[in-house]
Amino acid sequence: MTLADDTRTAEAEPARRLRDLVAVDPARVAALTAKEQWELYACLRGLGDLPNAAAVLDALAAQHGPLAKVLDAQAQLWPLLGREEEALRAAQERVERFPSPTGDLALARTFLATGRLEDAAALAERIRDREPARAEGWVLLGQVALEQGDAEAALEVFEHLLTLQPDSPVARRGLARAHAALGDDEAAAALVADLLDELGPTPTIGGMAALAEVADELGDDATAAQLRERVAAQWAKRAAALLEPLAATPVARERDQAAAPLADLRAADAEEAPAPSEVLAAVRDYFGYDGLRPGQARVIEQALAGVDTLATMPTGAGKSLCYQIVAMLRPGVTVVISPLIALMQDQVESLPPAIAERATLINSTLDPAELRRRQDEIAAGRYSLVYAAPERLRQPPFLRALATAGVSLLVVDEAHCISLWGHDFRPDYLVVPRVLPALGEPTVLAMTATATPEMAREIADRLGRPLARVQVCLFRPNLHYEVRQLPNKEAKYRALVDLCRELEGSGIVYVSSREGCEEVERLLNRELKRRRWDPDVALAYHAGYDKEDRAERMRRFMDGEVRIMAATVAFGMGVDKADVRFIVHLSPPKSLEAYAQESGRAGRDGRPARCVLLYASADKANLSRWAKQDEFDLETLRRCYAQARRVLGAGWGVVSPADLAPPDLVEHDQDVRVGLGILERAGLLERHPDAPRTADVLWSGATPDGAGDRWARFLAATDLQPGERRTLDLVALSGPLDRSPAELEQQLLDWREQGAGLRVAAGRRDLCLRLILPVPAEAAAGLPGLLEEVRRENEKRVARMVVFATSRSCRHAALAAHLGERLAPCRTACDICAATGDGRSTKYEVRTASEERRVAGAPHRTPRPRAHGPRPTPHARPPRPR
């Protein structure tokens, strides 16, 4: 072997190792920074490993959405893999989303790469006519002319370009190609020689590769080979630089450690300092447990020490025990903010007796007398643990009771609900950070089962606190994940029936629509009941049923009277059934975070359970359509704002959400509260604590202690007389008294306690809003950007879900990587690893456009082959067919 051979071998080694390390494992790629991911894509493409380059590009699209850079790369790469229609769609989407001259150039180049020469020529002419002094349009016209076999026109174009840019290497390469096509090899060779002399010691990879193509056309094989060797050497250097970050992000351990049992890896990850003796004693005394699960001790210790914390703990990891123990060990009140009444009710009913007697919940099911009694007992220090919905924090009497008792810990359960970009945004959660000062700035413990790193940052931003992160590993070895690729809805239904026959025990089937739930209920009862008079096997559950009906359906499932629940996502957070043996998603959920949560409801007793996702090619379009239906475009938001102006007038208002919804918003089942949240973030309105519009007041005639100007202004505005009972319009009084309706109610209560002899009975509470007028210029200007951010986040969620469903890598590792964890392949607990048998991900499969059509049952069309080798001369080559 010669020295040159040794050098080439050494240069090829980093490239080989790079390809082997990628393999392609989406979890490994996802662990890189965005800059490293783009460099990895460039290296793989430059090295000719197009399938793995495509896999990295898919990962980039899933993580970052359809950025202009992503769409440009797809338009360039897909033609090389025969995916021409996809390339055209990507280029056209790029122009629609990000209209710019650069987008037009990318579309023209895609036309050229896919053989649509007339379209390429027309667009190139428009680009040239728009900016005749720029080179790009001229270059495209010359390239189109060469592809069409019109070498003389190409020569004329590139000669003109040289008059504009005499030193342009692109123009001279084009001129050399035109001369070669016309048979003037001498002129072409002279241009190539000049270009070679000008390459210098550090030439660009693109320049050398393009010059190699010109040398090919001249038949100068030696020069072409020399240039390509230099290109390969440059790519090898860049590949070598990527090896370290790739090797440093091996999902959880290096592949050569994959032989270690996964349970050992998880145990090593879970190591933490032992819990303090007082904590262990409380756990034993209250719950009868000898120890704590991974993560619990650290969460409890940080909460006791007053450290604001975000705890990400999967379903079944024991989140509730953490704050229940803290409530028993810390003085003052622990308040738990939870989004569902059923969830609160279940948690209170399942508390150990010693904790239950010191706990209560406050929700809308209580009658006014019981509500007042419980709030009085909270203020008196009767309770250590209080459960409440987030909207309750908008009500002054409740806040007053908490402030009187002294809140030591505020628990934000299901904290992902505060994220505007999260999969389950609840606008009422936005009130949490605003009430912290009124509660004495208590310690905050945010808890959720799933949070991506981006969502974790946003939760901290929304709460206005730096949060220490405690993350318990998502992996649960008793859950077996599986994705079944099916052609259509009918095949999904057949597979669902087969699965429900095969699997034993209780199960949940998640369906995307209310009608679908009822259809699945009928299907399963028809197919699985042995006799018509046997009890039902399946039951539907969705938000369209009234409260009592939903409660009865849930009871029947929880008590085992029916085996299978066919449900929308309305059936979720309140479900605490330990023996769910299987969960089937008839359609993909809207996000990977939602999938992790919903599938995590299986096997909470630690016994084996199945999580099956049924996926068809149409699901990607369905997910995109559902995402768009949930979005607020600028016009819809303007109608929401116009409706708010009509209802609120020029100032304060106390209204129901239904009053603020334009009719078309109700028809499309969009949540007006989300629209209000966006308008609030844009600075167009303020939402204040919920308030009554009216208050019935009886005044004895006494004057409150320390009465001042505000009391005098109140009497003047109301003309209230001693012994007279009046119904005051708090909204109408807000203007002259310069107080919000909620503040006026609180002022009345304060005067009552200060000896004014007032009896106050507030009316029905609702949203309390104030329009910010005049409209801040920056608020209106910022709306399009805010909506675009929402839209892009929705598209990212769809892309990530599709990548999960269609990739060939470990399901557990992919979910963990999305949520910021590094996890080794599960080896046996998913369909991919079980199929390979060695715990390694299978090779990424790239389908051509024709293969995709074959899978979908469409007629096969042979892709047009791309030419290789020397370019034929114009007179010997007919135009390429379109």
Side-chain angles (χ1 to χ4, degrees):
M1 182 180 292
T2 65
L3 179 61
D5 291 334
D6 288 339
T7 302
R8 282 193 291 273
T9 301
E11 290 170 348
E13 180 62 19
R16 183 191 63 75
R17 289 185 59 204
L18 182 71
R19 286 192 289 263
D20 288 347
L21 269 176
V22 174
V24 152
D25 187 342
R28 186 189 293 279
V29 173
L32 298 173
T33 66
K35 183 177 180 180
E36 289 167 342
Q37 288 173 334
W38 280 112
E39 177 66 0
L40 176 60
Y41 164 72
C43 283
L44 290 168
R45 183 180 168 184
L47 293 166
D49 189 354
L50 300 185
N52 278 342
V56 174
L57 189 53
D58 284 344
L60 280 161
Q63 285 186 262
H64 306 294
L67 302 174
K69 189 174 181 179
V70 170
L71 294 169
D72 283 345
Q74 290 174 336
Q76 294 166 16
L77 182 63
W78 294 160
L80 304 180
L81 290 164
R83 297 162 65 172
E84 298 175 358
E85 295 301 322
E86 294 173 74
L88 287 168
R89 284 197 298 270
Q92 287 162 347
E93 184 179 355
R94 199 265 197 235
V95 171
E96 292 169 2
R97 292 184 183 280
F98 309 99
S100 67
T102 305
D104 291 341
L105 284 168
L107 179 58
R109 291 182 182 124
T110 307
F111 284 148
L112 188 61
T114 55
R116 296 179 58 166
L117 301 183
E118 292 178 7
D119 292 332
L123 186 50
E125 287 176 358
R126 290 201 296 272
I127 294 170
R128 177 204 57 191
D129 294 344
R130 188 168 55 212
E131 296 183 272
R134 294 191 61 181
E136 287 84 354
W138 292 101
V139 171
L140 278 169
L141 282 173
Q143 291 172 339
V144 171
L146 285 170
E147 290 291 314
Q148 290 175 328
D150 192 349
E152 291 182 355
L155 186 68
E156 183 177 342
V157 167
F158 287 118
E159 284 178 341
H160 177 76
L161 181 54
L162 276 176
T163 64
L164 297 175
Q165 298 182 359
D167 297 326
S168 168
V170 176
R172 286 185 289 165
R173 286 198 298 267
L175 200 59
R177 289 182 60 192
H179 281 302
L182 289 169
D184 190 353
D185 291 349
E186 185 177 349
L191 285 164
V192 171
D194 288 343
L195 288 166
L196 285 170
D197 290 341
E198 294 173 8
L199 283 177
T202 56
T204 64
I205 290 178
M208 289 191 294
L211 196 52
E213 289 186 10
V214 179
D216 273 338
E217 295 185 14
L218 280 171
D220 188 351
D221 295 340
T223 299
Q226 181 187 25
L227 287 167
R228 289 197 170 96
E229 281 186 13
R230 295 177 69 179
V231 168
Q234 291 289 335
W235 283 123
K237 288 180 181 178
R238 290 172 65 170
L242 271 176
L243 289 176
E244 183 177 348
L246 265 174
T249 55
V251 185
R253 297 289 188 272
E254 279 291 354
R255 280 190 171 182
D256 54 10
Q257 296 177 352
L262 189 61
D264 293 345
L265 295 181
R266 300 273 36 93
D269 287 348
E271 287 179 6
E272 56 183 289
S277 57
E278 64 168 341
V279 171
L280 291 174
V283 170
R284 183 174 57 253
D285 294 344
Y286 288 111
F287 292 92
Y289 300 150
D290 292 329
L292 291 166
R293 294 177 180 176
Q296 287 181 320
R298 189 173 166 205
V299 172
I300 293 170
E301 193 169 358
Q302 290 190 178
L304 289 174
V307 178
D308 297 323
T309 301
L310 170 61
T312 308
M313 306 173 74
T315 304
K319 293 191 292 290
S320 57
L321 179 142
C322 296
Y323 54 74
Q324 289 163 0
I325 288 294
V326 173
M328 298 300 102
L329 296 179
R330 280 191 74 161
V333 177
T334 291
V335 181
V336 181
I337 300 303
S338 183
L340 291 178
I341 292 175
L343 183 60
M344 290 186 275
Q345 189 73 45
D346 287 347
Q347 288 204 5
V348 171
E349 290 176 355
S350 63
L351 287 170
I355 298 180
E357 67 183 18
R358 295 168 59 185
T360 191
L361 58 84
I362 302 291
N363 61 41
S364 58
T365 65
L366 304 177
D367 62 58
E370 177 62 16
L371 177 62
R372 285 194 296 271
R373 185 189 70 77
R374 292 194 188 187
Q375 289 180 162
D376 289 344
E377 289 186 337
I378 291 171
R382 164 78 173 74
Y383 298 112
S384 299
L385 183 60
V386 175
Y387 291 83
E391 56 267 25
R392 190 62 52 173
L393 294 177
R394 298 184 186 277
Q395 301 188 4
F398 180 60
L399 286 178
R400 187 179 185 87
L402 292 177
T404 302
V407 177
S408 60
L409 178 67
L410 180 69
V411 180
V412 186
D413 199 13
E414 308 294 347
H416 57 274
C417 293
I418 202 172
S419 170
L420 181 61
W421 317 135
H423 62 281
D424 199 14
F425 172 54
R426 308 291 178 94
D428 289 319
Y429 267 68
L430 296 175
V431 74
V432 173
R434 298 177 194 164
V435 302
L436 292 176
L439 298 178
E441 298 291 354
T443 302
V444 172
L445 172 58
M447 310 194 84
T448 180
T450 54
T452 64
E454 294 80 6
M455 192 181 294
R457 286 192 290 271
E458 198 201 348
I459 290 171
D461 289 343
R462 295 275 76 81
L463 291 173
R465 300 266 182 106
L467 301 177
R469 186 85 184 270
V470 177
Q471 186 168 8
V472 177
C473 180
L474 180 75
F475 178 68
R476 290 166 60 195
N478 65 311
L479 298 187
H480 187 280
Y481 280 96
E482 175 185 349
V483 178
R484 295 194 180 183
Q485 304 278 348
L486 299 164
N488 50 42
K489 179 180 177 181
E490 289 72 22
K492 285 186 176 186
Y493 277 2
R494 289 195 297 272
L496 174 63
V497 171
D498 291 342
L499 278 167
C500 291
R501 278 199 185 104
E502 171 193 347
L503 301 173
E504 297 180 353
S506 297
I508 302 172
V509 179
Y510 279 110
V511 191
S512 59
S513 68
R514 299 176 182 181
E515 296 80 6
C517 289
E518 296 171 8
E519 187 177 0
V520 168
E521 177 193 278
R522 291 191 295 269
L523 171 71
L524 294 180
N525 285 328
R526 183 175 67 246
E527 297 293 331
L528 301 182
K529 286 172 65 172
R530 296 183 179 181
R531 296 169 300 187
R532 293 174 60 185
W533 56 84
D534 284 343
D536 286 341
V537 173
L539 202 60
Y541 185 104
H542 57 68
Y545 297 117
D546 60 42
K547 181 190 297 185
E548 291 76 17
D549 196 0
R550 288 200 307 273
E552 175 60 16
R553 288 168 183 267
M554 177 178 281
R555 184 201 64 76
R556 292 183 63 192
F557 177 70
M558 300 295 283
D559 291 348
E561 293 180 13
V562 291
R563 188 167 74 90
I564 300 167
M565 186 69 87
T568 62
V569 293
F571 187 75
M573 284 185 280
V575 180
D576 187 12
K577 185 173 173 64
D579 61 347
V580 174
R581 297 270 66 83
F582 63 91
I583 288 180
V584 179
H585 279 80
L586 197 64
S587 297
K590 294 181 180 180
S591 71
L592 270 182
E593 305 95 89
Y595 185 63
Q597 277 209 329
E598 291 160 15
S599 60
R601 293 176 185 132
R604 295 183 64 169
D605 55 5
R607 294 178 54 217
R610 295 270 294 277
C611 305
V612 183
L613 169 62
L614 305 180
Y615 184 83
S617 57
D619 284 331
K620 180 178 179 180
N622 291 334
L623 286 171
S624 298
R625 186 178 73 254
W626 297 332
K628 289 186 183 299
Q629 288 173 352
D630 291 341
E631 290 173 6
F632 279 75
D633 57 28
L634 195 58
E635 183 56 35
T636 303
L637 210 56
R638 283 177 177 146
R639 290 199 297 276
C640 284
Y641 184 68
Q643 179 77 358
R645 290 289 298 265
R646 284 192 290 271
V647 173
L648 300 177
W652 292 97
V654 176
V655 295
S656 71
D659 295 333
L660 295 170
D664 61 324
L665 205 66
V666 176
E667 291 171 9
H668 289 88
D669 201 26
Q670 283 179 291
D671 191 344
V672 69
R673 294 174 303 167
V674 176
L676 292 175
I678 296 172
L679 291 172
E680 185 175 12
R681 283 197 61 181
L684 290 166
L685 56 80
E686 291 176 348
R687 185 172 176 184
H688 287 251
D690 289 359
R693 181 178 182 86
T694 62
D696 289 335
V697 177
L698 175 64
W699 179 40
S700 68
T703 301
D705 296 337
D709 178 62
R710 195 177 296 279
W711 172 254
R713 288 171 58 196
F714 168 73
L715 292 179
T718 60
D719 194 27
L720 191 65
Q721 301 298 318
E724 179 186 12
R725 184 185 298 277
R726 291 272 300 278
T727 298
L728 302 181
D729 187 333
L730 301 182
V731 175
L733 289 171
S734 294
L737 297 181
D738 193 27
R739 307 281 277 177
S740 75
E743 290 170 331
L744 283 175
E745 181 198 16
Q746 187 60 54
Q747 184 70 79
L748 290 171
L749 296 175
D750 289 343
W751 283 331
R752 180 187 67 184
E753 294 188 3
Q754 293 164 7
L758 288 171
R759 292 184 181 178
V760 181
R764 173 186 167 183
R765 297 179 184 280
D766 240 318
L767 300 179
C768 183
L769 304 172
R770 182 176 76 89
L771 288 171
I772 298 177
L773 298 172
V775 175
E778 65 276 8
L783 270 179
L786 187 59
L787 291 175
E788 176 64 14
E789 196 175 349
V790 173
R791 184 192 61 76
R792 284 179 54 186
E793 283 298 321
N794 284 339
E795 289 180 340
K796 286 181 185 179
R797 280 199 290 269
V798 170
R800 290 165 181 156
M801 194 67 237
V802 171
V803 167
F804 174 83
T806 58
S807 72
R808 305 294 299 170
S809 63
C810 172
R811 309 290 184 196
H812 284 279
L815 278 177
H818 176 65
L819 297 171
E821 293 185 51
R822 295 176 181 177
L823 183 69
C826 67
R827 298 171 64 86
T828 58
C830 78
D831 55 338
I832 300 301
C833 293
T836 59
D838 61 357
R840 295 170 182 262
S841 301
T842 58
K843 185 173 179 61
Y844 186 91
E845 177 184 355
V846 177
R847 286 178 180 159
T848 64
S850 60
E851 287 171 336
E852 293 285 0
R853 282 189 290 273
R854 274 203 302 278
V855 170
H860 172 69
R861 180 177 65 84
T862 304
R864 177 180 52 77
R866 295 189 58 81
H868 295 280
R871 187 186 302 274
T873 56
H875 56 79
R877 180 188 63 190
R880 184 180 294 171
R882 289 182 57 187

